[in-house]
C-alpha cells in the first residue's frame, strides 16, 4: 500500500468512525475504498469489520453519559447482538455475496420510514395504551429482542446502515430520548463488530495494514462523532439518519 493509499484509508476510517457514532453506515465509506485499492471483497469486508471495532468502542465511550441508567437494557440487548452478530459472520463465509443484495435496500427503506414516522407512531401507541390501561414494556419486550437479533445478523454479515435499523426499531418500541437510543446503538454495534471480528480471526484472511489504519482512524472518528452527535437536536439527528440511509440505499443498488 502506497503512502497516498494509506492516507486515504486512514481518512476513510476517521469518516467511518464519525458517521458510525452519529448514526451508522460508516462501512459505506471504508469498504469501497478498500475495494478500490485492490482488496478482494471478502478480505475487504472482514478487514473493515475488525478495523471498525475500536471506533465502535470509542463511540460508545464518547456516549457514556447517555448510557447512564441503561445497564439492564444493555445486558439484555447485548445477548441478542452477540448471537446475531456471530450468525451474520458465519453467513458471510457460507453464503454467496449476492444473497442479501435484494433484501438489504428494502430493509433499510422500511427502517427509514419507521425513523420518519416514529414520533407520530410512538404517540399513537402511547395513546392506545392509555385508553386500554396498559403500560409499555420497559425494554421493548420480545419483539424488540428478536428485531435486534435479526438486525445484528445483518450487521455481522455486512453492516451498512445497521445503525439506522437499530434506531428505527428502538425508536418505535422504546419510550426514550433519541440520544440515549443512539448511545445504545453504539454499544450494540461494538458488540456485533467485535464478535464478528473474533470469528473472522480464526477463519478468514485480513489485510493487517488496512485493519490498523481503519482502527486508528475510526477511534479518532468515534470521539469526534460523539462530540458532534450529542449536540444535534432530535429533528436534525433524525434528518441525518434519513439522509445517510438514502445514500446507503443508492450505493447498494448501484454497486
Amino acid at each position: 500500500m502506497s503512502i497516498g493509499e494509506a492516507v486515504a484509508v486512514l481518512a476513510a476510517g476517521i469518516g467511518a468512525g464519525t458517521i458510525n457514532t452519529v448514526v451508522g453506515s460508516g462501512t459505506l465509506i471504508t469498504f469501497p475504498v478498500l475495494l478500490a485499492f485492490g482488496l478482494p471483497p471478502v478480505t475487504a469486508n472482514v478487514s473493515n469489520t475488525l478495523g471498525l471495532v475500536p471506533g465502535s468502542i470509542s463511540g460508545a465511550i464518547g456516549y457514556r453519559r447517555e448510557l447512564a441508567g441503561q445497564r439492564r437494557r444493555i445486558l439484555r440487548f447485548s445477548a441478542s447482538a452477540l448471537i446475531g452478530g456471530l450468525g451474520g459472520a458465519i453467513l458471510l463465509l457460507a453464503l454467496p455475496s449476492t444473497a442479501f443484495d435484494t433484501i438489504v435496500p428494502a430493509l433499510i427503506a422500511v427502517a427509514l420510514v419507521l425513523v420518519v414516522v416514529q414520533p407520530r407512531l410512538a404517540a399513537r401507541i402511547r395513546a392506545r395504551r392509555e385508553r386500554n390501561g396498559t403500560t409499555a414494556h420497559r425494554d421493548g419486550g420480545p419483539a424488540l429482542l428478536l428485531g435486534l437479533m435479526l438486525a445484528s445478523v445483518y450487521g455481522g454479515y455486512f453492516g451498512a446502515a445497521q445503525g439506522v435499523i437499530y434506531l428505527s426499531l428502538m425508536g418505535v418500541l422504546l419510550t426514550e430520548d433519541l440520544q440515549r437510543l443512539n448511545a445504545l446503538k453504539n454499544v450494540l454495534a461494538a458488540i456485533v463488530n467485535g464478535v464478528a471480528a473474533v470469528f473472522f480471526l480464526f477463519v478468514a484472511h485480513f489485510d493487517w495494514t488496512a485493519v490498523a489504519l481503519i482502527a486508528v482512524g475510526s477511534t479518532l472518528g468515534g470521539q469526534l462523532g460523539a462530540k458532534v452527535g450529542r449536540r444535534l437536536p432530535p429533528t436534525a439527528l433524525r434528518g441525518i439518519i434519513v439522509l445517510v440511509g438514502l445514500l446507503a440505499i443508492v450505493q447498494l443498488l448501484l454497486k
Side-chain angles (χ1 to χ4, degrees), residues 18-240:
T18 301
I19 196 67
N20 272 344
T21 303
V22 175
V23 56
S25 298
T27 290
L28 295 177
I29 300 175
T30 45
F31 184 66
V33 170
L34 296 181
L35 291 180
F37 293 152
L39 269 65
V42 173
T43 301
N45 198 359
V46 298
S47 300
N48 179 67
T49 297
L50 182 56
L52 289 177
V53 171
S56 299
I57 296 173
S58 176
I61 293 173
Y63 262 93
R64 60 190 178 278
R65 187 172 65 205
E66 286 76 12
L67 290 171
Q70 300 197 78
R71 181 182 178 186
R72 174 185 168 184
R73 189 176 285 166
I74 291 171
L75 293 175
R76 286 173 60 86
F77 293 175
S78 294
S80 291
L82 188 68
I83 296 170
L86 179 58
I90 294 172
L91 287 177
L92 175 65
L93 301 181
L95 296 178
S97 60
T98 57
F100 281 15
D101 285 355
T102 301
I103 192 173
V104 167
L107 185 65
I108 297 173
V110 172
L112 290 182
V113 171
L114 290 177
V115 169
V116 172
V117 304
Q118 183 264 325
R120 184 173 299 178
L121 182 59
R124 289 186 177 181
I125 292 174
R126 286 195 299 269
R128 181 179 176 182
R129 289 193 180 113
E130 290 175 1
R131 289 195 302 269
N132 296 336
T134 58
T135 57
H137 193 290
R138 179 181 175 183
D139 297 325
L144 181 55
L145 287 177
L146 178 60
L148 292 176
M149 183 182 296
L150 294 176
S152 299
V153 170
Y154 167 61
Y157 184 90
F158 183 54
Q162 173 190 2
V164 174
I165 300 171
Y166 280 150
L167 289 171
S168 68
L169 290 170
M170 293 188 293
V172 170
L173 295 173
L174 293 176
T175 304
E176 191 63 88
D177 177 75
L178 187 57
Q179 291 288 4
R180 284 170 63 80
L181 296 182
N182 202 27
L184 274 175
K185 177 265 296 177
N186 288 328
V187 173
L188 297 180
I191 292 171
V192 170
N193 284 343
V195 69
V198 170
F199 174 75
F200 292 146
L201 281 173
F202 294 97
V203 298
H205 297 289
F206 292 87
D207 184 305
W208 288 104
T209 301
V211 170
L213 290 169
I214 292 175
V216 172
S218 66
T219 300
L220 297 173
Q223 291 300 302
L224 178 61
K227 291 180 179 180
V228 172
R230 64 155 45 104
R231 294 178 181 177
L232 293 172
T235 302
L237 182 56
R238 207 177 303 278
I240 292 175

